[in-house]
Amino acid sequence: MQPKSGHRILPKWTKSAIAAIAILSLTLATSGCSTGTVQATKDADAPKVAAAKQTPTEAVVLRVGFISSESKIPIGPEGWALEKNWLVPELKEFGITEVKFVPFVGGPPLNEAIAGNRLDLGMYGDTPALAGRSAGLKTVIINQNRVGNDAYLITKKNGAKTVEDLKGEKVGVTKGTYLHRYLLGRLEKAGIAKDVKLVQVSTADSKAALERGDIAAYPFTIAIGLELIAQGYPAIDQAKNHRELVGSGVTVITEDFLKKNPRFAEKWEKIRLKALEDIKANPDAFYKFASRASGYSEEVIKQAYPIELFTKEAFPTEGLQLLNSTKQFLADQKLLKTNFEIKEWQSPSS
């Protein structure tokens, strides 16, 4: 089964170590196609929804991209609002008659879909969102929906016992994701960033690559990591033990959609917070829904998606610190195509 899917100062990574993540994300964000990633998005063969002049009397399909490889709706307040049949009725004032959640296997292909006008909103990691914006994607950030995205660094069986043992080894990663950033930061902290060869391996191929010994380790989301640990694969590190290396999730909206619907960002946030309050009041029901939607056990879901992961504010202080430090690091290393202020990227209503 595949996964569905910091805060003060980031560690001083080497330019060579970080270059791959930024360059790949920036390239994928603006290219017309990408190597081996677009085909993994589940809407690859779906017809494009024509851009419509959005008036209250027209039927509008809201296209929302999110990160997953199994679930058809996001695990969180947004998916819960759809499950509870709140989402579409709450958005009727914008002429929206359907919300189409579109899963992607990572941030770079989601950026590509935004660039190709195939999405109105994107819900994904901070690193690819920042890279996409700097590369010219016309997006506005309307919230940080999660702060503290965790990860495991999993090794092959009978392999490395510590991060330092990865020196001289090949380590797989899906490049351009927050997991990539975590991995680079962890290798830097261990002082071996220049001594590890990172190779692009999709999540779908990661377990087989570990089994064959093609790679010595791979960073996984908590859900898939827990299942691999149960199968005897060792975890030699966890992101939450290095608070500056955890990820945050953001929601971005295209400038064009927001211009046509200036009140949309405020409304979306109100719906999200309403759903979050209901999740807090009914956690057992939420975890049953999340387990059913993702295919993971409720026990795994409780560890992978703790309710405290979902933010109570659109931009919590801790989250903004992480977002700004991540962006500033990329800027200091001259790895952003253009620099920008987070406050200039934020929705006016946030």
Side-chain angles (χ1 to χ4, degrees), residues 27 44 77 79 113 126 142 157 207 213-214 223 233 270-271 295 324:
T27 300
D126 50 10
I142 62 176
K157 296 178 180 179
K207 181 181 177 182
D214 295 344
Y233 289 87
K270 286 182 178 179
I271 297 169
N324 275 287

Side-chain angles (χ1 to χ4, degrees), residues 205-225:
D205 296 329
S206 57
K207 181 181 177 182
L210 283 172
E211 288 178 340
R212 292 192 303 266
D214 295 344
I215 55 176
Y218 195 92
F220 290 96
T221 59
I222 291 299
I224 188 70

Side-chain angles (χ1 to χ4, degrees), residues 61-133:
V61 176
L62 181 69
R63 305 162 299 174
V64 185
F66 71 105
I67 305 303
S68 177
S69 61
E70 292 293 336
S71 178
K72 295 181 180 179
I73 59 177
I75 304 303
E78 300 86 355
W80 185 244
L82 185 69
E83 173 75 4
K84 298 286 286 187
N85 296 315
W86 295 338
L87 197 54
V88 174
E90 292 272 10
L91 296 173
K92 285 181 66 175
E93 65 186 88
F94 304 103
I96 293 170
T97 57
E98 179 185 353
V99 176
K100 179 184 179 184
F101 282 112
V102 185
F104 291 83
V105 294
L110 193 153
N111 273 341
E112 186 180 331
I114 292 175
N117 192 32
R118 302 200 304 275
L119 294 175
D120 304 302
L121 271 72
M123 298 167 51
Y124 58 146
D126 50 10
T127 298
L130 286 163
R133 170 68 177 187

Side-chain angles (χ1 to χ4, degrees), residues 21-22 24-30 67 105-112 114 123-137 139 149 174-181 247-250 252 323 326 330 336 340 345:
I21 184 173
L24 184 73
S25 291
L26 298 176
T27 300
L28 290 176
T30 55
I67 305 303
V105 294
L110 193 153
N111 273 341
E112 186 180 331
I114 292 175
M123 298 167 51
Y124 58 146
D126 50 10
T127 298
L130 286 163
R133 170 68 177 187
S134 77
L137 284 187
T139 60
N149 288 337
T174 300
K175 296 181 179 179
T177 63
Y178 90 87
L179 294 169
H180 190 184
R181 188 189 68 185
S248 70
V250 303
V252 302
L323 196 61
T326 301
L330 295 173
L336 294 180
F340 59 95
W345 189 25

Side-chain angles (χ1 to χ4, degrees), residues 192-235:
I192 60 172
K194 293 182 178 180
D195 303 307
V196 173
K197 182 177 181 180
L198 299 186
V199 294
Q200 169 70 20
V201 178
S202 71
T203 302
D205 296 329
S206 57
K207 181 181 177 182
L210 283 172
E211 288 178 340
R212 292 192 303 266
D214 295 344
I215 55 176
Y218 195 92
F220 290 96
T221 59
I222 291 299
I224 188 70
L226 287 170
E227 293 204 333
L228 289 173
I229 291 169
Q231 295 171 26
Y233 289 87

